[in-house]
Amino acid sequence: MAEEFEPNILGILCNWCTYAGADLAGTSRTQYPPNVRVIRIMCTGRLDPAFVLKALSVGADGVLVSGCHVGDCHYLAGNFKSRRRVALLRKLIEEYGYDRERLRMTFISASEGAIWAEVVQDMVNTIKKLGPNPLKQVGAAGPEGVVADDEF
Amino acid sequence: MKEYNFFLGCIAPNRYPGIEASAVKTSRKFDIELRDFKGASCCPAPGAFGSMDVNAWLALGARNICLSEKEGKDIALICNGCYKSLFEANHRLKADPAMREKVNSILANIDYEFQGSVEVRHLIDILYNDVGTEKVKESVEVPLTGVNVAIHYGCHLLKPKFDRTFGSSERPRFFDELVEALGATSIDYKEKMMCCGAGGGVRSYKMDLALDIANEKLYNMTQAGADVIVDVCPFCHLQLDRGQVEIKEKFGDVYDLPVLHYNQLLGLAQGMNPDELGLDAHEISVEPLLAKIM
Amino acid sequence: MASEGMRDPKHYQLGKTQFDPDLIKEVVALGGKNAQMCYQCGTCTASCPMGQRSGLRVRTVMRKANLGMREVLDDPDLWLCTTCYTCSDRCPRRIMATDAIIALRNIATREKKVPMSMIKIMGAISKTGHGVPNNEANMKNRVKVGLPENPPTTHTYPEYIKDINKILEVTGLLKIREEMEAESQ
Amino acid sequence: MDEEKRIGVFICHCGTNIAGVIDVKELAEYAKTLPNVAHAEDYTYVCSTPGQTMIKDRIKEHNLNGTVVAACSPRLHEPTFRKATEEGGVNQFLFSMANIREQDTWVHMEEPEKALQKAKDVVRMEVARASMLEPLTPKTVPVEKAALVIGAGIAGIQASLELADAGIKTYLVEKEPSIGGMMSRLDKTFPTLDCSQCILTPKMVDVERNPNIELMTYSEVDDISGYIGNFDVTIREKSRYVYEDKCNGCGKCQEVCPVSRPNEFDLGLQPRKAAYVPFPQAVPLKFTIDMDSCIKCDLCKGQEACGDLEAIDFDKPDKLTTVKVGTIIVATGFDMYDVERKEEWGYKVFDNVVTGIEFERLIGASGPTGGNVVRPSDGQKPKSVGFVLCAGSRDQDEEDGAKPYCSRVCCMYSLKHAHQLIEKIPGCVPYLFYMDIRSFGKAYEEFYYRIQNEGGKFIRGRVARITEDPVTKNLTITAEDTLLGTPLEMEVDLVVLANAVVPAESTQKLKTLLTLSNSPDGWLLEAHPKLNPMSTTTDGVFLAGMCQGPRDIPDVVAHAAAAAAAASIPIHKGSVTLEPIYAIVDQEHCGGCATCIGVCPYGATELNEVDGKLVASVNEAKCKGCGTCGSACPSGAIKMQHFTNEQIMSEIEAFAQGW
């Protein structure tokens, strides 16, 4: 990693609020760092803890879960439930040796494109401070064969 | 007993010592000790200094705050100008890391560092929000019944509202309540919230225009039947007290309207004698008012 | 001023007016919050106690700052604002117009266009630590009300004054003062 | 599922929107290298007819069994490409879309290299997902041939009449005792100066007469459940303490009622009784007894009043009704900005400072003064009137609750007020303090000319402050004439604050019930601001009028008609196809732990005994496909169709192959 470390962040966004908000950032041409790859789900309630653990175990430097504002959930309370899950997951991943800041949940509405851009920028800054996923750091002990060394 | 470092500024100690003395004496009645604040300087004058270099203004203000941080004491003050300098410096440097870094880089040259560990309070804020009008009322020995007070809030106590804690600056009431707690009447008058005209360095830059504003206020106060002007800022105080002499010279308008700082009025209501409150040092005689009270 | 502008490719000619697109950025950087957002409604001018008795027009100052007309820095009325902040409190765009004027004054000061009256106040602080120092008559009045002749400030502890001057020095104000005092001789 | 996957990838240039930033050729070449990709190519506009034909042809040529289009957002064109895929002979749910415009080339314009890398990653992820997708069959459900309209201002009235005329049974719910809303308070309407009541009242009467409209006034929506085609709505008819069927509107109860309190309809400018109708043309003309102020003196029940009609009953309870509807139109309108919070203007401090809507009552023939404009302080006719435009609009001061947007009606109604003053009070001069006069509508700018010609004075400057002379109660307006560059202090007899329109408080509860969102300004959020301003993100729920944003009457009426048309489509089709995106339970693996029962917000999951063991099952009609149960199920027995664990995991794995 000679050149500056560019984090690979997985975004898991709900279809109705944050995904739409991210689209709005696009239509308003709001520029932000290209470090996030997005998976669209209907509701953050769909967030299976396994998704987050999987992402980290395959080397994601951060996971950004984002849904509707509390009270605005298209399915009434899915974001509520995922908020609790993420809170627990942040503790859990620390057990695995990941900084809890590598997992973040935000609430961004369909009309908050600018905020989506800020959140991504902020997440990227945070992860840059933390450095790459420990599994990817040279000499770091991690589950073998999860990611082959030649992949970085 | 709550102790504060008493930040004096310039005009109170160096022109109206009665304001300084009355603040200390009246506060003791509420178990508030305003202690000597060693090595403090000019706040520095926000109008003049801020206008020349905001960063120097913030740094010099921060120097004063740092002195108090070293003693771990919150700061109390009695001047709206000092309030602008110190409250805003304290508030902004706490809130804005970038600005704090910049100012600390200046302070580094004198081995000071702003920590953000103390509060800066105007005594009028302490009296209203901590002591409360009820306790103030209880401390009254000579109710100022029948005295018509023209209150002058002054600008930097309330504005900019986004950088203060008193809410809207259009129709504030807290100062009025504190005056009414002494038995006096707070009268409404035209342009009540208007500036005294002295700020921003204008009094020293264009005295005539500064006085023209004061003149309008004095006229409106007199029209509304004021017996006395009450302020919470020695600089407004100077502008409205000495200003009357200057207005007389320059424009020939005569008002002879006594001017008191709230702590001096409070002192009178608490039964202190006019001399220990330094009223005799004022340009405009306070006698007519005293006659009305005694 | 103009010639300086002419040398700078950023400045372009519009009739005889020099426009400097960077002026407003400078103003915002020096604390003129939202100054670039002015939509010229005039609430500021109408709220200004000085505007009613002088040539100061806050809206016009904001206009010139936004267009980048540097001659606003030479306008003597720029120094008539009493910083009462009424305009800032009422501004529907939440512009700190007073702070914008202060920012313009800062820029003017760097160009040594600051009134000597301001420099004098700096002089007093530099000498005594106080913009308004103590005097004989006042010392007597202090004693009368039971206070020491001098307050426990830099008046009693002059050793603190060197720190003040250090700050004036590193911020470049001392130099401006020396040069302007020399020129005024 | 076991057949070899053959996926076709189609990269859209979207003109220069995508191709102008990244090298689409390289992206296509890259796609070819991905597993399961049988064909990849780029094209200028894949959404165009030739583009869609291309997809169909390639499916046949390359015998594809899955498609991926890399283009704009799936929220825009997913339906288009699903259709093309289906028409090409492949199940539409075997299509997946890669968003490389909104979330790539448009937001990373300065970094084409990184944008290209991101595009490759996203395409790779979608191809992986497409490889795991399973064919699904959309389900069709019947649509209830009835609609609900909430709010009976001009928007709700218009929408209801349109629906009813289209032969649809329509429930119209209004929280006030009468329909008519804000428009019934207006005197004239700009720019035609039609009498507001004269054009509104006939419509109000039509509503009452129309056999297809079931009008429920003094009523509120308590609860809504279900989904498009099948909403169950519970409506609370608040008790008027008067039997609507017995009351003949004679008004004797009002005559004898001793109670007097401010009439909300007239903004308190004149009193009403505890037994009242808000205004003479009220529909329905049924009296209401306001129990909060009623002193139960029983005079209204007496012989010289209601007497033998026996229409009054102080114990009459609220009535709950449940109706089933296929679609819903929200038409809950707006409130006026609480301009008292702008202390510098002295509203409610100075007698002669009134709001625009108060002025409507003052000048309206049906108003407290019978249409004579007089000063509240002394009843004198004003000779000079100041109008403060943008009173709380175009204002960023959140502390004062002001609104950053333009309210779109204040300029025009102030012009109208100016005209009315000139017409009614000879010699009266209106002074309009404005920043910009926004006369954008048909015949609006001409109306502006007219008022100028009639003698209206226009001062370009926002009012900084208003003060009152304590003796004369005259007002002094302080503003700068920005065109002269001079501060003015102008004394006037009356000031009218053209205060902003703000989202209605009462809309908030509905917003939650219907899972609607709002835009940052607080108005309800439409499905698309340009192309679908009357729909919402909740299928079957539509918006009419101001609840979606500031509008004047013609725009409200057009919007309401559009909402009615949109709301009638599913009803006339008789059935709607729902995404087959619902959960299913693999009862083999279900342990019957009932976790899914707890998490489902719709009660779609239930426990049943299947050959001797308790197992969960999902009611697909109730399930809306959020997938919360799927992620909660400890034994992984719940499969969230189209968003299965396998599908999402494969995306995550593909994500990791990028570095």
Side-chain angles (χ1 to χ4, degrees):
Chain A
M1 298 211 166
E3 83 288 348
E4 200 210 352
F5 156 60
E6 284 296 342
N8 291 300
I9 299 167
L10 180 69
I12 304 179
L13 313 186
C14 87
N15 175 67
W16 303 101
C17 292
T18 307
Y19 194 91
D23 279 352
L24 180 60
T27 38
S28 1
R29 309 298 195 278
T30 314
Q31 303 296 300
Y32 57 86
N35 300 69
V36 179
R37 308 290 179 263
V38 168
I39 291 178
R40 178 174 68 124
I41 52 182
M42 279 299 132
C43 176
T44 49
R46 178 68 186 91
L47 181 81
D48 190 318
F51 301 163
V52 174
L53 300 175
K54 175 74 174 181
L56 291 171
S57 71
V58 296
D61 300 307
V63 179
L64 174 56
V65 180
S66 190
C68 307
H69 286 282
V70 173
D72 283 0
C73 176
H74 190 71
Y75 306 96
L76 305 177
N79 51 354
F80 242 82
K81 300 183 179 78
S82 54
R83 184 172 67 172
R84 284 200 226 104
R85 285 190 193 127
V86 170
L88 287 168
L89 271 166
R90 277 163 67 94
K91 291 198 182 72
L92 185 66
I93 62 172
E94 273 188 328
E95 301 297 316
Y96 288 121
Y98 298 99
D99 190 297
R100 62 169 57 198
E101 285 308 313
R102 290 188 187 275
L103 172 60
R104 181 179 298 182
M105 179 161 191
T106 58
F107 307 91
I108 298 172
S109 83
S111 57
E112 296 175 331
I115 297 182
W116 165 251
E118 285 168 27
V119 164
V120 170
Q121 180 65 64
D122 185 63
M123 181 87 178
V124 170
N125 297 345
T126 312
I127 303 293
K128 280 188 176 174
K129 284 199 194 72
L130 291 174
N133 181 319
L135 292 174
K136 287 193 291 182
Q137 284 165 12
V138 192
E144 277 179 13
V146 173
V147 237
D149 291 331
D150 59 302
E151 282 179 348
F152 4 88
Chain B
M1 182 183 62
K2 169 81 178 168
E3 275 195 341
Y4 291 91
N5 267 350
F6 187 19
F7 184 85
L8 300 173
C10 300
I11 315 238
N14 300 339
R15 291 293 179 275
Y16 291 96
I19 296 177
E20 176 182 345
S22 61
V24 175
K25 291 170 187 165
T26 53
S27 299
R28 290 206 175 111
K29 304 248 180 188
F30 308 117
D31 279 336
I32 295 168
E33 187 59 30
L34 302 178
R35 59 201 291 273
D36 283 0
F37 185 177
K38 186 180 164 192
S41 68
C42 179
C43 55
F49 247 89
S51 295
M52 287 186 283
D53 188 320
V54 279
N55 294 321
W57 169 63
L58 286 166
L60 288 164
R63 187 199 75 92
N64 284 317
I65 297 169
C66 293
L67 283 173
S68 205
E69 285 182 341
K70 287 178 181 163
E71 300 177 338
K73 289 267 178 277
D74 290 343
I75 297 172
L77 44 75
I78 50 169
C79 167
N80 292 354
C82 302
Y83 188 62
K84 176 169 175 62
S85 293
L86 297 196
F87 178 86
E88 278 185 28
N90 200 37
H91 177 236
R92 291 191 199 175
L93 295 182
K94 279 180 182 180
D96 180 346
M99 189 181 282
R100 182 179 183 150
E101 207 170 302
K102 187 187 283 171
V103 169
N104 272 332
S105 70
I106 299 173
L107 291 174
N109 295 285
I110 56 170
D111 304 323
Y112 278 50
E113 192 191 358
F114 175 87
Q115 307 283 353
S117 60
V118 301
E119 295 299 318
V120 176
R121 309 275 308 270
H122 196 299
L123 191 53
I124 197 82
D125 165 26
I126 296 171
L127 285 174
Y128 186 78
N129 290 309
D130 297 3
V131 176
T133 49
E134 274 316 304
K135 277 216 179 63
V136 170
K137 195 180 258 152
E138 288 162 19
S139 77
V140 173
E141 287 172 21
V142 186
L144 307 177
T145 324
V147 176
N148 290 335
V149 174
I151 289 175
H152 175 74
Y153 276 84
C155 301
H156 296 153
L157 176 66
L158 306 168
K159 296 175 277 184
K161 68 179 176 190
F162 303 116
D163 217 341
R164 294 289 186 277
T165 56
F166 302 104
S168 165
S169 56
E170 299 290 343
R171 281 187 199 82
R173 277 294 303 165
F174 62 94
F175 193 177
D176 304 69
E177 290 172 29
L178 281 168
V179 164
E180 283 155 359
L182 309 182
T185 315
S186 165
I187 58 166
D188 195 16
Y189 62 94
K190 197 159 173 284
E191 299 288 1
K192 180 178 174 183
M193 297 312 297
M194 189 172 76
C195 175
C196 71
V202 176
R203 186 177 154 84
S204 51
Y205 174 63
K206 285 273 183 291
M207 169 82 78
D208 287 16
L209 283 169
L211 290 175
D212 192 58
I213 294 180
N215 199 4
E216 184 180 342
K217 279 216 88 154
L218 288 160
Y219 177 81
N220 292 337
M221 290 163 162
T222 314
Q223 288 299 304
D227 300 317
V228 57
I229 302 170
V230 174
D231 58 67
V232 281
C233 173
F235 195 37
C236 301
H237 188 96
L238 177 124
Q239 169 80 347
L240 295 169
D241 180 47
R242 177 173 304 183
Q244 289 187 51
V245 179
E246 293 152 347
I247 286 168
K248 191 173 176 181
E249 288 166 4
K250 290 175 182 288
F251 316 131
D253 301 314
V254 181
Y255 301 104
D256 291 329
L257 192 56
V259 185
L260 267 65
H261 189 284
Y262 181 73
N263 293 102
Q264 295 175 304
L265 190 75
L266 179 57
L268 286 176
Q270 289 178 346
M272 299 175 190
N273 85 46
D275 294 354
E276 62 179 322
L277 300 170
L279 300 184
D280 52 345
H282 292 194
E283 300 282 349
I284 301 299
S285 164
V286 183
E287 288 311 322
L289 171 71
L290 298 177
K292 193 156 185 168
I293 297 170
M294 305 308 172
Chain C
M1 189 55 237
S3 60
E4 180 196 314
M6 315 266 288
R7 279 203 307 280
D8 184 339
K10 283 198 306 302
H11 300 200
Y12 57 88
Q13 197 85 20
L14 187 87
K16 286 196 164 23
T17 316
Q18 296 293 333
F19 278 16
D20 172 4
D22 290 339
L23 181 60
I24 190 68
K25 295 178 192 153
E26 243 180 302
V27 168
V28 173
L30 283 165
K33 190 154 165 273
N34 299 341
Q36 78 284 8
M37 301 305 300
C38 179
Y39 63 5
Q40 294 286 299
C41 67
T43 304
C44 44
T45 306
S47 300
C48 180
M50 190 54 89
Q52 283 143 20
R53 63 198 83 230
S54 76
L56 176 61
R57 297 284 179 272
V58 182
R59 179 186 55 83
T60 316
V61 172
M62 298 301 295
R63 179 75 179 152
K64 288 177 175 170
N66 265 290
L67 287 176
M69 300 166 67
R70 291 195 79 92
E71 55 264 46
V72 69
L73 300 172
D74 304 275
D75 182 352
D77 293 346
L78 187 62
W79 301 89
L80 289 182
C81 168
T82 66
T83 70
C84 76
Y85 282 90
T86 313
C87 55
S88 308
D89 266 20
R90 291 184 186 154
C91 176
R93 290 283 212 187
R94 292 195 63 167
I95 298 167
M96 284 292 159
T98 312
D99 289 338
I101 289 174
I102 289 176
L104 287 165
R105 287 178 175 184
N106 279 210
I107 301 166
T109 303
R110 288 188 208 148
E111 297 175 8
K112 289 191 275 174
K113 293 168 178 169
V114 53
M116 282 311 285
S117 56
M118 300 277 182
I119 296 294
K120 284 201 185 68
I121 297 171
M122 197 202 312
I125 290 177
S126 163
K127 279 190 204 63
T128 67
H130 281 288
V132 183
N134 204 351
N135 60 35
E136 289 301 326
N138 186 67
M139 290 182 180
K140 291 189 183 61
N141 288 331
R142 289 185 58 85
V143 176
K144 267 204 225 161
V145 292
L147 296 169
E149 280 198 341
N150 274 309
T153 60
T154 46
H155 272 324
T156 312
Y157 307 95
E159 60 269 31
Y160 285 90
I161 296 175
K162 63 174 190 327
D163 289 349
I164 293 168
N165 282 303
K166 187 70 186 171
I167 291 172
L168 294 180
E169 182 198 322
V170 297
T171 50
L173 282 177
L174 217 49
K175 185 162 170 292
I176 291 170
R177 180 178 141 230
E178 283 159 1
E179 291 176 5
M180 286 185 70
E181 278 174 348
E183 285 161 22
S184 68
Q185 296 310 319
Chain D
M1 274 319 290
D2 298 317
E3 61 166 327
E4 172 219 13
K5 267 286 168 190
R6 298 181 53 80
I7 295 167
V9 181
F10 305 91
I11 315 286
C12 183
H13 298 193
C14 193
T16 57
N17 283 306
I18 293 168
V21 177
I22 63 172
D23 181 343
V24 285
K25 295 267 180 255
E26 187 183 337
L27 183 55
E29 286 313 309
Y30 172 79
K32 288 181 184 150
T33 68
L34 295 169
N36 300 332
V37 172
H39 171 76
E41 73 181 288
D42 59 287
Y43 187 71
T44 44
Y45 290 103
V46 181
C47 61
S48 65
T49 313
Q52 296 183 49
T53 318
M54 172 183 69
I55 296 177
K56 295 176 217 165
D57 298 346
R58 297 297 179 274
I59 290 174
K60 295 192 174 56
E61 291 162 23
H62 300 273
N63 179 28
L64 305 173
N65 56 16
T67 52
V68 169
V69 173
C72 52
S73 168
R75 293 176 53 86
L76 198 63
H77 269 313
E78 191 177 48
T80 316
F81 300 126
R82 274 188 179 175
K83 195 154 154 293
T85 306
E86 189 82 40
E87 288 168 358
V90 175
N91 181 286
Q92 59 172 305
F93 293 95
L94 298 175
F95 158 80
S96 195
M97 194 159 177
N99 183 339
I100 59 168
R101 193 182 74 171
E102 281 83 346
Q103 295 185 24
D104 188 16
T105 57
W106 273 355
V107 287
H108 312 311
M109 291 173 167
E110 285 91 21
E111 302 167 286
E113 275 315 308
K114 289 175 175 171
L116 176 60
Q117 184 52 53
K118 183 173 181 176
K120 287 178 179 177
D121 296 346
V122 176
V123 168
R124 186 177 62 251
M125 287 164 74
E126 292 308 324
V127 167
R129 171 176 163 78
S131 316
M132 304 299 294
L133 287 173
E134 299 167 4
L136 300 169
T137 340
K139 59 175 176 176
T140 309
V141 297
V143 175
E144 188 68 31
K145 200 173 179 332
L148 168 72
V149 176
I150 308 167
I154 181 58
I157 288 173
Q158 185 68 32
S160 303
L161 289 171
E162 303 273 357
L163 286 166
D165 292 349
I168 295 167
K169 165 83 173 173
T170 305
Y171 300 94
L172 176 56
V173 176
E174 168 57 50
K175 67 179 192 315
E176 301 298 329
S178 169
I179 64 173
M182 204 59 97
M183 185 176 173
S184 58
R185 287 182 165 132
L186 308 183
D187 178 40
K188 299 269 188 297
T189 56
F190 60 78
T192 53
L193 298 173
D194 293 304
C195 151
S196 183
Q197 285 284 7
C198 315
I199 56 176
L200 179 62
T201 317
K203 281 184 177 288
M204 290 165 69
V205 174
D206 290 352
V207 165
E208 201 177 23
R209 296 226 183 98
N210 194 310
N212 278 339
I213 296 178
E214 187 167 331
L215 178 58
M216 302 164 108
T217 52
Y218 210 48
S219 303
E220 288 179 23
V221 172
D222 258 20
D223 190 37
I224 300 176
S225 62
Y227 51 95
I228 179 170
N230 304 274
F231 290 105
D232 296 300
V233 185
T234 313
I235 300 157
R236 170 180 304 273
E237 290 181 75
K238 294 173 283 183
S239 175
R240 294 174 185 264
Y241 305 100
V242 168
Y243 293 105
E244 288 82 353
D245 52 346
K246 291 185 184 169
C247 174
N248 62 8
C250 67
K252 290 211 186 81
C253 52
Q254 177 173 345
E255 287 160 27
V256 299
C257 179
V259 178
S260 175
R261 64 183 323 288
N263 187 350
E264 299 80 3
F265 181 81
D266 286 308
L267 304 120
L269 292 170
Q270 72 179 334
R272 65 157 168 84
K273 302 296 190 69
Y276 73 106
V277 285
F279 57 102
Q281 306 89 330
V283 171
L285 192 61
K286 304 291 177 190
F287 279 76
T288 303
I289 294 174
D290 158 21
M291 268 306 157
D292 298 337
S293 54
C294 173
I295 56 169
K296 301 221 168 71
C297 65
D298 284 358
L299 279 174
C300 52
K301 295 179 180 171
Q303 274 313 316
E304 56 290 340
C306 197
D308 299 338
L309 271 179
E310 291 178 337
I312 299 170
D313 174 1
F314 290 168
D315 303 321
K316 183 172 182 277
D318 289 4
K319 183 171 150 214
L320 288 181
T321 323
T322 305
V323 300
K324 203 169 187 53
V325 298
T327 54
I328 298 173
I329 293 177
V330 180
T332 47
F334 63 101
D335 293 343
M336 300 303 292
Y337 167 59
D338 175 12
V339 72
E340 191 179 353
R341 297 174 67 180
K342 285 277 170 194
E343 293 187 357
E344 56 265 47
W345 294 328
Y347 177 63
K348 290 205 173 149
V349 179
F350 306 145
D351 297 350
N352 295 327
V353 176
V354 301
T355 65
I357 197 78
E358 285 170 345
F359 187 85
E360 292 287 348
R361 298 314 298 147
L362 281 176
I363 201 158
S366 66
T369 59
N372 297 313
V373 184
V374 294
R375 306 195 333 152
S377 67
D378 54 14
Q380 295 304 307
K381 280 191 176 356
K383 285 292 176 200
S384 58
V385 179
F387 289 88
V388 179
L389 275 61
C390 297
S393 308
R394 302 181 66 192
D395 185 327
Q396 310 282 331
D397 191 343
E398 306 95 355
E399 274 83 355
D400 291 345
K403 297 298 177 181
Y405 51 75
C406 167
S407 290
R408 295 181 90 244
V409 289
C410 335
C411 284
M412 293 309 295
Y413 76 60
S414 298
L415 284 167
K416 176 192 70 184
H417 292 163
H419 163 81
Q420 289 174 289
L421 279 170
I422 293 168
E423 185 182 62
K424 287 203 169 192
I425 307 176
C428 177
V429 186
Y431 297 93
L432 287 83
F433 292 82
Y434 72 101
M435 293 191 279
D436 304 285
I437 293 292
R438 297 189 166 175
S439 51
F440 50 86
K442 183 175 182 181
Y444 287 12
E445 183 67 10
E446 295 88 326
F447 191 64
Y448 177 16
Y449 295 156
R450 174 177 175 180
I451 309 314
Q452 224 168 350
N453 181 47
E454 289 172 345
K457 296 297 171 200
F458 294 80
I459 298 165
R460 196 208 168 277
R462 185 174 171 277
V463 171
R465 189 184 49 160
I466 294 164
T467 51
E468 180 193 59
D469 180 322
V471 182
T472 64
K473 297 289 177 182
N474 290 350
L475 303 154
T476 300
I477 295 174
T478 314
E480 180 188 8
D481 183 321
T482 58
L483 303 180
L484 287 176
T486 324
L488 306 175
E489 288 203 328
M490 180 185 290
E491 185 169 345
V492 294
D493 300 336
L494 183 73
V495 167
V496 183
L497 303 173
N499 53 335
V501 295
V502 301
E505 199 54 51
S506 55
T507 307
Q508 288 311 306
K509 184 181 156 208
L510 280 170
K511 190 188 138 211
T512 319
L513 279 179
L514 293 165
T515 68
L516 304 175
S517 313
N518 52 251
S519 24
D521 54 19
W523 302 99
L524 290 176
L525 186 69
E526 61 291 316
H528 190 286
K530 306 241 174 308
L531 304 180
N532 202 351
M534 62 282 178
S535 303
T536 69
T537 49
T538 305
D539 287 345
V541 178
F542 304 88
L543 304 175
M546 278 245 200
C547 63
Q548 184 255 347
R551 274 186 176 67
D552 55 10
I553 292 168
D555 286 5
V556 165
V557 170
H559 194 230
S568 66
I569 291 167
I571 291 174
H572 282 143
K573 274 165 77 186
S575 68
V576 284
T577 348
L578 301 185
E579 293 264 289
I581 299 180
Y582 53 85
I584 51 177
V585 180
D586 168 1
Q587 302 193 326
E588 282 298 306
H589 294 86
C590 174
C593 69
T595 310
C596 52
I597 313 277
V599 297
C600 179
Y602 303 104
T605 45
E606 48 205 40
L607 272 189
N608 302 318
E609 188 169 325
V610 178
D611 38 35
K613 89 178 220 218
L614 273 184
V615 287
S617 63
V618 175
N619 173 338
E620 16 178 299
K622 285 187 183 172
C623 175
K624 298 199 178 185
C626 64
T628 308
C629 54
S631 48
C633 178
S635 50
I638 296 184
K639 176 174 172 188
M640 184 55 233
Q641 299 200 105
H642 210 54
F643 291 90
T644 65
N645 287 356
E646 295 70 21
Q647 289 159 3
I648 294 171
M649 286 298 193
S650 67
E651 279 188 85
I652 299 175
E653 273 163 7
F655 159 76
Q657 286 147 15
W659 56 81

